Amino acid sequence: AQKITQTQPGMFVQEKEAVTLDCTYDTSDPSYGLFWYKQPSSGEMIFLIYQGSYDQQNATEGRYSLNFQKARKSANLVISASQLGDSAMYFCAMRVGRDGNEKLTFGTGTRLTIIP
Amino acid sequence: DAGVIQSPRHEVTEMGQEVTLRCKPISGHDYLFWYRQTMMRGLELLIYFNNNVPIDDSGMPEDRFSAKMPNASFSTLKIQPSEPRDSAVYFCASSIWTSNNEQFFGPGTRLTVL
């Protein structure tokens, strides 16, 4: 069975500092994809970044990067130069296999608070 | 594009009533997903469709829940009869087949069953 674990229920970080949000996953399928979503207090889910299991390089999108360590089964999200607007819930998710399987399994999330 | 559209945004109903949630996916997307989010259970996939056909409904809690997708631009999630434990935020999401196939979420419907 597939599982996503986010061990940090909450984090407080000073503005402008870098943040690392932890995510570990468990699957026996060699083909999978890992996603990070942001959920601000307004409630919508915003896609941030994607990493495929066969991707050779860590994914980056602006201030977001994914520290992908395949052997450790971890896919941590790194936010550089944090801003007040980064305060939100962050969810890690995984899709296993392809060929029509588009089911995402989500972690329990980490609530990030940026302190001015 | 307008993004995924959901209606209503808020719904308050009494136990035993029928509730219908509506979703319009992003034009051209061929996958549609229904999720439920609660404090206790987090974000759960209820059902998803591909080209209007249900692919995986293993997350549908029980027979009181049903979902349909009569065409590529519209889907409904119906709860009949509703119960207080159905209170949650229900999200609709859509996606198109790409290398990463990220899902785009609607704003959600906050359902309260009294």
Side-chain angles (χ1 to χ4, degrees):
Chain A
Q2 293 78 245
K3 189 175 181 181
I4 288 282
T5 302
Q6 295 181 255
T7 57
Q8 307 153 309
M11 287 186 69
F12 291 84
V13 173
Q14 205 76 35
E15 189 181 8
K16 298 181 184 176
E17 290 185 353
V19 181
T20 298
L21 304 180
D22 294 342
C23 173
T24 58
Y25 59 92
D26 187 25
T27 179
S28 57
D29 197 306
S31 177
Y32 52 88
L34 297 156
F35 301 77
W36 278 92
Y37 282 84
K38 172 184 178 181
Q39 186 176 40
S41 57
S42 50
E44 72 271 29
M45 296 285 288
I46 302 166
F47 167 73
L48 295 178
I49 196 167
Y50 167 84
Q51 180 85 42
S53 59
Y54 296 118
D55 293 344
Q56 295 297 311
Q57 296 192 352
N58 287 348
T60 59
E61 289 286 348
R63 293 188 300 114
Y64 303 109
S65 60
L66 204 152
N67 184 3
F68 182 45
Q69 298 188 40
K70 201 169 183 177
R72 298 179 62 181
K73 293 191 174 181
S74 74
N76 298 339
L77 177 69
V78 180
I79 306 174
S80 63
S82 59
Q83 302 171 356
L84 296 179
D86 294 332
S87 293
M89 282 288 289
Y90 288 82
F91 293 94
C92 182
M94 176 171 65
R95 179 189 64 226
V96 174
R98 286 316 297 266
D99 298 330
N101 175 36
E102 299 301 323
K103 180 175 180 176
L104 283 184
T105 301
F106 282 83
T108 52
T110 296
R111 182 172 297 281
L112 175 65
T113 302
I114 306 299
I115 306 167
Chain B
D1 204 321
V4 177
I5 299 172
Q6 291 187 247
S7 64
R9 294 292 308 276
H10 302 272
E11 177 80 31
V12 180
T13 190
E14 293 189 346
M15 183 174 62
Q17 296 297 307
E18 177 179 297
V19 175
T20 299
L21 310 182
R22 297 172 176 79
C23 175
K24 176 179 169 56
I26 294 172
S27 177
H29 282 195
D30 50 0
Y31 287 90
L32 184 137
F33 306 82
W34 283 101
Y35 290 89
R36 178 173 67 176
Q37 186 177 35
T38 62
M39 289 295 294
M40 292 297 295
R41 301 177 65 89
L43 200 60
E44 306 172 277
L45 176 67
L46 301 177
I47 185 171
Y48 79 90
F49 296 82
N50 178 219
N51 292 323
N52 314 336
V53 176
I55 301 301
D56 186 339
D57 65 355
S58 59
M60 295 287 264
E62 48 198 274
D63 292 346
R64 297 185 298 106
F65 285 69
S66 62
K68 294 182 179 179
M69 192 166 185
N71 57 62
S73 58
F74 184 66
S75 177
T76 59
L77 179 67
K78 187 175 293 186
I79 308 172
Q80 165 65 16
S82 58
E83 297 182 4
R85 60 191 168 120
D86 301 330
S87 297
V89 178
Y90 291 81
F91 287 101
C92 176
S94 70
S95 69
I96 188 170
W97 179 269
T98 62
S99 60
N100 61 15
N101 211 19
E102 72 265 26
Q103 296 177 19
F104 295 85
F105 281 71
T109 294
R110 182 173 294 277
L111 174 65
T112 303
V113 183
L114 303 174

